[in-house]
Amino acid sequence: MEKYTKDDIIARAKELASMIASTEEVDFFKKAEAQIHSNEKVSSLISQIKGLQKQAVNLQHYGKAEALKKTEDKIASIEEELDSIPVVQEFKQSQIDVNELLQLVANTISNKVTDEVILSTGGNVLSGETGAEVNNKNQSCSHH
C-alpha cells in the first residue's frame, strides 16, 4: 500500500473541498444567500432581531427577568415571521443540504479508513474486527 504524508492528504482534501464548492447544493446555497441579503424585509427583520438580542443581553445582565421574557418573546415572534418568508425557507433548506453533503463525505472517509485498517490487518470488515481481534478470538477458542 502506498504511503501518504499529512501534506498529501491535506492537498487532496483541498481538491475535494473545491469539488464540493462546485456542486449544485453549494451553488443553490450561494444564490439563496444572495437573495437573502438583497431582500429588504429580511434585512429589516434580521436587524430587529440583532437589536433585540443586544437588549436581551443587557436585561439579563441587570437581572430584569420580566423585561427579558418580553424581549425574548418579541425575538421569537420576529423569527417566526422571518421563517415564513419563502427565500428564508429556501436558504435554510440549502444550508441543510450542504451540511448533509459534508456529513456524507466525512462519514464516507471515516468508514473507508476503518475498513482499510481492518483489511490491512487481515481482519473481518463484516464483523468490524481487526486482524488482532480475529486472531485473539481464534487462539482463545482453540485453548478450550
Side-chain angles (χ1 to χ4, degrees):
M1 194 192 303
E2 193 174 341
K3 297 281 184 211
Y4 294 98
T5 66
K6 276 186 188 173
D7 289 344
D8 295 333
I9 293 165
I10 296 301
R12 288 286 177 94
K14 287 178 179 176
E15 284 177 41
L16 189 56
S18 291
M19 290 170 67
I20 291 168
S22 301
T23 61
E24 280 182 32
E25 290 87 347
V26 172
D27 202 40
F28 189 81
F29 170 82
K30 290 189 281 191
K31 287 176 183 161
E33 198 229 5
Q35 285 182 312
I36 288 265
H37 287 294
S38 64
N39 186 309
E40 287 187 29
K41 179 169 176 125
V42 171
S43 295
S44 167
L45 292 172
I46 289 172
S47 291
Q48 288 176 47
I49 289 171
K50 285 181 179 176
L52 288 167
Q53 285 172 332
K54 285 179 186 172
Q55 199 177 320
V57 168
N58 288 331
L59 292 169
Q60 188 173 19
H61 178 74
Y62 292 110
K64 307 264 187 199
E66 204 173 304
L68 176 60
K69 173 86 175 93
K70 284 182 184 171
T71 303
E72 287 173 342
D73 290 346
K74 268 191 221 169
I75 291 170
S77 170
I78 296 170
E79 284 175 341
E80 275 182 43
E81 186 180 347
L82 193 58
D83 288 344
S84 72
I85 300 171
V87 70
V88 173
Q89 292 170 354
E90 288 173 8
F91 176 69
K92 286 189 171 191
Q93 185 57 52
S94 74
Q95 282 181 309
I96 291 167
D97 294 344
V98 170
N99 281 332
E100 283 176 354
L101 176 61
L102 293 173
Q103 281 301 310
L104 178 63
V105 170
N107 290 338
T108 301
I109 291 170
S110 177
N111 292 339
K112 183 67 175 162
V113 169
T114 300
D115 290 352
E116 290 290 330
V117 168
I118 290 170
L119 289 173
S120 70
T121 62
N124 181 338
V125 174
L126 292 178
S127 67
E129 297 171 316
T130 61
E133 286 177 289
V134 171
N135 291 335
N136 198 20
K137 258 189 190 173
N138 291 341
Q139 286 175 355
S140 63
C141 289
S142 63
H143 292 301
H144 291 296

